[in-house]
Amino acid sequence: DELQNFAEITHRLPVDVRFIEYMPFNDNLWETDGFVSYREMQERIEGLVRQVDGPNDTTKWWKLPGQNGSVAQGRIGFITSMSEHFCGTCNRLRLTADG
């Protein structure tokens, strides 16, 4: 389980780390056994603090508290494509490598 390790990168770097729920596509051999939900990922990362999302965000944004009372430089995002659909507010187009 490396979720916490990836999230902690945001302590020292001003980067956004996003986790996307596994999405079913025709060729990706989708199996429900491999699905990890947004809530499950949240439970595996300690200290998450909710942030405000933009009006068309497909990402739910969080931060980790920084060290010594500071705030982490980067953000942690969850793209909840399966467990909490965002189709009604999404303004994006997704293309696969083969069109």
Side-chain angles (χ1 to χ4, degrees):
D1 187 4
E2 297 175 327
L3 291 172
Q4 186 75 37
N5 294 338
F6 278 110
E8 288 179 5
I9 291 170
T10 65
H11 279 299
R12 59 186 182 279
L13 297 173
V15 296
D16 291 338
V17 175
R18 293 184 195 177
F19 300 103
I20 185 168
E21 291 177 337
Y22 187 58
M23 295 173 64
F25 289 102
N26 290 340
D27 297 325
N28 73 354
L29 305 174
W30 165 255
E31 292 181 19
T32 55
D33 293 347
F35 178 72
V36 180
S37 74
Y38 162 54
R39 298 289 176 205
E40 288 176 76
M41 288 186 273
Q42 271 184 292
E43 290 171 3
R44 295 180 189 181
I45 301 173
E46 296 178 20
L48 290 171
V49 177
R50 190 70 164 99
Q51 303 295 294
V52 176
D53 304 329
N56 296 107
D57 270 348
T58 56
T59 303
K60 291 176 176 35
W61 290 110
W62 296 77
K63 275 193 172 245
L64 286 179
Q67 297 157 348
N68 301 323
S70 65
V71 178
Q73 295 183 53
R75 299 182 298 175
I76 300 155
F78 297 93
I79 300 173
T80 60
S81 50
M82 297 299 295
S83 65
E84 295 183 21
H85 300 286
F86 47 76
C87 298
T89 60
C90 179
N91 64 356
R92 291 161 175 82
L93 176 65
R94 177 180 297 265
L95 298 176
T96 60
D98 60 359

